[in-house]
Amino acid sequence: MMEPQDVPGESAQELGAIPEAGVIGRIIDRGGLVFAAGIVLSMAVLINEVVLRYLFNAPTIWAHETTIFLCGVAFIYGGLYCTARDRHIRVVLIYDALPPGARRAFDVVISLICAASSAMFAFAAWVMVQRAAFRPDGSFRLERSGSAWDPVYPGLVKVFLLAVLAVMAVQFLVLAVNYARGGTSRGANGKGDR
């Protein structure tokens, strides 16, 4: 197994959540293993489906919806994971030309804008969850797929999206506070300048 210092172009610090992400970032980073395992599990489910369908002529009714669900929640979690690791896509044309102090100010402003955006998306997800998780009389019942198997995956995905967006808003606020306190700004090479 490769040690962090053995990975070309990566330092040990870059292999996990950035320090500015705080405790919540470290928790998010560790949670990524669960969703990575979900991707592997979805592959196993699809291999099982292929074997059952083409070798034994006994297809399942659950394989496709299960793999879509597992990959969907992994994709949703991926946004939060990238936030904690500071690996999201950004246009750095102006950012890389700035001195470290200005980069830190940009980091604070960008994090606050992202927190507000995440919070607004979380509110939109809450509106969606109200329809997907509650009946008109207020009782709890998750939306179902309507297929022959009819799992509650659509409702679960919407609830999970709401939770991830709410945590993402908090993570961006933590980042903004830590950047404002003087957290490390990243340079053109992605490494800290201080």
Side-chain angles (χ1 to χ4, degrees), residues 94-110 179 185-186 193:
I94 297 170
Y95 183 86
D96 284 349
L98 297 172
R103 282 188 198 153
R104 189 170 67 233
F106 265 57
D107 287 337
V108 171
V109 171
I110 290 168
Y179 288 139
S185 295
R186 284 140 328 275
D193 291 327

Side-chain angles (χ1 to χ4, degrees), residues 112-134:
L112 290 172
I113 291 169
C114 290
S117 298
S118 298
M120 285 186 265
F121 283 124
F123 176 76
W126 168 246
V127 171
M128 188 171 52
V129 165
Q130 285 180 313
R131 286 184 253 137
F134 299 101

Side-chain angles (χ1 to χ4, degrees), residues 130 133-141:
Q130 285 180 313
F134 299 101
R135 292 181 177 149
D137 67 359
S139 61
F140 182 78
R141 184 177 189 279

Side-chain angles (χ1 to χ4, degrees), residues 86-192:
D86 192 33
R87 295 293 188 193
H88 49 87
I89 297 171
R90 69 170 62 144
V91 179
V92 293
L93 182 65
I94 297 170
Y95 183 86
D96 284 349
L98 297 172
R103 282 188 198 153
R104 189 170 67 233
F106 265 57
D107 287 337
V108 171
V109 171
I110 290 168
S111 296
L112 290 172
I113 291 169
C114 290
S117 298
S118 298
M120 285 186 265
F121 283 124
F123 176 76
W126 168 246
V127 171
M128 188 171 52
V129 165
Q130 285 180 313
R131 286 184 253 137
F134 299 101
R135 292 181 177 149
D137 67 359
S139 61
F140 182 78
R141 184 177 189 279
L142 287 173
E143 177 182 3
R144 303 182 83 82
S145 71
S147 68
W149 185 40
D150 202 25
V152 296
Y153 291 158
L156 286 175
V157 167
K158 291 172 184 175
V159 170
F160 184 69
L161 178 63
L162 169 62
V164 165
L165 287 168
V167 173
M168 188 180 288
V170 172
Q171 176 65 90
F172 276 120
L173 287 174
V174 168
L175 287 169
V177 167
N178 287 334
Y179 288 139
R181 287 182 177 166
T184 306
S185 295
R186 284 140 328 275
N189 59 6
K191 297 181 177 135

